[in-house]
């Protein structure tokens, strides 16, 4: 079913699609009294889908630091100046012997509970068409029915906003305060991110890659759509060990993707960053190197003109902190929320 948020997304095909939880949160903001329209930039990376490739240029990830000059570049290259990064090819990733070992086994009548912290860009366009930007921050806890047939819940704790690099924080950024709850009702069709559905995904990397390309992508190019699917399947869900190992390896083979070691999430943990460039920002999904679990996501500016922020600025940073099993989800009376 196409709703109003999907219609808006069609006008900005370069942006990743919103997840169902993100749609619920956006719809609540859009219908709330006295609030200006807020256009969050889901990054992969937010909830929503992961980043899309912005252009056909080569991306060179350089291990640079204080006192070390950036290497020379060839025409068409973009250098990401980040500490402790070493690029790996898809072949090197596929050759790694690491094994996903962490396992949960929720029953059909239980819930997957995911806790995370997020920071993403938000933009506000006022009545005078003047744009403001800031970084909005939250703690999120979501309860998802393991088999997709039971109502879930989403708890959002609003944190102090931060300035988007080079921009003042607008007054509107402080309007979201405290804690809010959203009910996430189950609908007739079971979500493809329910645990029982994720269990059925291929555990072979090549077959997983085919699955990523076969998913509906709307108007997105096939490579961009496959990359978006990676984040959609990982974010605020629990993917079983064999499937997430295959997902990691399949993601590394998508054209335009580069892989880097020692990438830091919002909690300070380091993992393997799998990323692409979108609208001047290198947006990365960060995997645990031993288990292939999602650690978090981040976005770093690589093109100041397109991102409208200094190169090297951190404009998105998340951490998935807790993935457990609960016997029940909190009851939420709030009618706002989308189907799971």
């Amino acid at each position: 079913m196409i709703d109003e948020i999907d219609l808006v997304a069609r006008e900005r095909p370069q942006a990743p699609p919103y997840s169902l939880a993100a749609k619920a949160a956006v719809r609540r903001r859009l219908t709330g009294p006295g609030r200006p329209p807020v256009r969050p930039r889901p990054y992969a990376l937010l909830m929503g889908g992961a980043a899309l490739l912005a252009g056909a240029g080569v991306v060179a990830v350089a291990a640079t630091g204080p006192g070390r000059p950036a290497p020379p570049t060839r025409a068409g290259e973009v250098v990401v100046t980040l500490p402790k990064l070493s690029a790996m090819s898809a072949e090197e990733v596929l050759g790694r012997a690491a094994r996903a070992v962490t396992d949960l086994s929720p029953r059909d009548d239980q819930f997957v509970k995911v806790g995370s912290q997020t920071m993403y860009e938000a933009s506000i366009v006022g009545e005078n068409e003047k744009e403001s930007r800031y970084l909005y921050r939250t703690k999120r806890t979501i309860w998802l029915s393991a088999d997709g047939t039971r109502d879930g819940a989403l708890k959002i704790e609003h944190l102090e906003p931060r300035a988007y690099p080079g921009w003042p924080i607008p007054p509107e950024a402080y309007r979201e305060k405290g804690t809010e709850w959203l009910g996430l009702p189950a609908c007739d069709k079971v979500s493809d991110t329910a645990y029982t559905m994720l269990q059925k995904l291929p555990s072979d990397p090549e077959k997983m890659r085919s699955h990523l390309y076969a998913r509906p992508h709307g108007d997105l190019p096939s490579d961009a759509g496959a990359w978006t699917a990676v984040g959609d399947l990982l974010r605020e869900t629990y993917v079983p060990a064999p499937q997430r190992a295959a997902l990691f390896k399949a993601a590394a083979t998508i054209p335009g993707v580069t892989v880097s070691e020692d990438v830091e999430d919002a909690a300070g943990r380091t993992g393997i960053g799998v990323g692409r460039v979108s609208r001047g920002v290198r947006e990365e999904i960060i995997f645990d190197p031993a288990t292939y679990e999602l650690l978090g996501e981040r976005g770093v500016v690589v093109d100041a003109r397109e991102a409208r922020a200094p190169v090297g600025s951190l404009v998105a940073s998340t951490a998935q902190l807790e993935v457990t099993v609960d016997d029940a989800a909190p009851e939420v009376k709030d009618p706002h929320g989308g189907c799971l």
Side-chain angles (χ1 to χ4, degrees):
M1 181 181 70
I2 301 296
D3 62 13
E4 69 276 16
I5 297 175
D6 291 318
L7 292 173
V8 171
R10 286 183 173 181
E11 299 303 314
R12 48 197 292 269
Q14 77 280 9
Y18 291 88
S19 67
L20 292 173
K23 286 184 180 181
V26 172
R27 184 174 293 108
R28 180 175 177 82
R29 287 188 175 94
L30 290 174
T31 57
R35 291 172 177 166
V38 177
R39 296 197 305 230
R41 180 180 181 176
Y43 161 53
L45 307 152
L46 197 158
M47 326 355 105
L52 308 182
L53 182 64
V58 177
V59 178
V61 181
T64 64
R68 184 187 301 178
T73 64
R74 297 186 300 271
E77 285 190 337
V78 176
V79 173
V80 184
T81 306
L82 301 173
K84 299 189 300 181
L85 288 186
S86 58
M88 294 183 290
S89 67
E91 290 74 17
E92 288 174 309
V93 173
L94 292 172
R96 293 172 67 97
R99 180 177 157 216
V101 295
T102 303
D103 267 315
L104 296 175
S105 299
R107 301 189 310 267
D108 286 356
D109 63 338
Q110 291 181 310
F111 291 79
V112 173
K113 177 185 177 183
V114 182
S116 59
Q117 64 185 59
T118 70
M119 181 181 76
Y120 296 99
E121 173 197 341
S123 63
I124 299 174
V125 179
E127 295 180 358
N128 59 357
E129 297 299 318
K130 182 180 179 180
E131 181 184 10
S132 299
R133 293 188 180 193
Y134 65 97
L135 299 175
Y136 68 96
R137 303 168 57 241
T138 65
K139 288 185 178 179
R140 294 165 60 92
T141 307
I142 193 168
W143 287 260
L144 301 171
S145 170
D147 68 357
T149 65
R150 294 162 178 80
D151 293 351
L154 173 63
K155 177 185 178 183
I156 303 174
E157 300 174 66
H158 296 285
L159 305 178
E160 190 81 1
R162 292 180 180 170
Y164 187 80
W167 295 62
I169 302 180
E172 293 84 356
Y174 295 97
R175 292 190 180 182
E176 297 289 348
K177 296 180 180 180
T179 300
E180 63 178 318
W181 287 83
L182 295 173
L184 301 177
C187 295
D188 294 337
K189 183 180 179 181
V190 175
S191 169
D192 60 0
T193 57
Y195 173 76
T196 54
M197 300 296 285
L198 295 170
Q199 268 188 313
K200 300 175 183 178
L201 293 179
S203 58
D204 175 78
E206 291 187 7
K207 292 180 180 178
M208 177 64 80
R209 189 179 193 276
S210 297
H211 173 76
L212 295 175
Y213 277 86
R215 284 168 57 94
H217 300 146
D219 296 330
L220 293 175
S222 60
D223 292 339
W227 170 245
T228 298
V230 177
D232 289 346
L233 292 173
L234 285 168
R235 195 175 300 105
E236 294 191 323
T237 63
Y238 175 71
V239 181
Q243 284 76 18
R244 66 175 179 262
L247 189 59
F248 168 81
K249 294 177 179 180
T253 69
I254 297 172
V257 167
T258 55
V259 183
S260 305
E261 293 185 301
D262 298 327
V263 178
E264 192 170 289
D265 71 5
R269 304 170 300 185
T270 57
I272 300 175
V274 180
R276 301 184 82 183
V277 174
S278 173
R279 292 176 291 174
V281 176
R282 174 173 168 80
E283 299 180 327
E284 295 173 302
I285 303 174
I286 308 169
F287 291 83
D288 184 287
T291 67
Y292 297 133
E293 291 174 280
L294 174 67
L295 293 181
E297 300 170 277
R298 77 170 184 179
V300 179
V301 174
V302 298
D303 185 323
R305 181 190 60 80
E306 193 168 9
R308 302 173 70 185
V311 170
S313 300
L314 186 69
V315 294
S317 183
T318 77
Q320 190 154 287
L321 301 173
E322 173 193 33
V323 184
T324 58
V325 175
D326 261 3
D327 288 333
E331 292 187 12
V332 180
K333 297 181 180 180
D334 191 327
H336 299 284
C339 297
L340 296 175

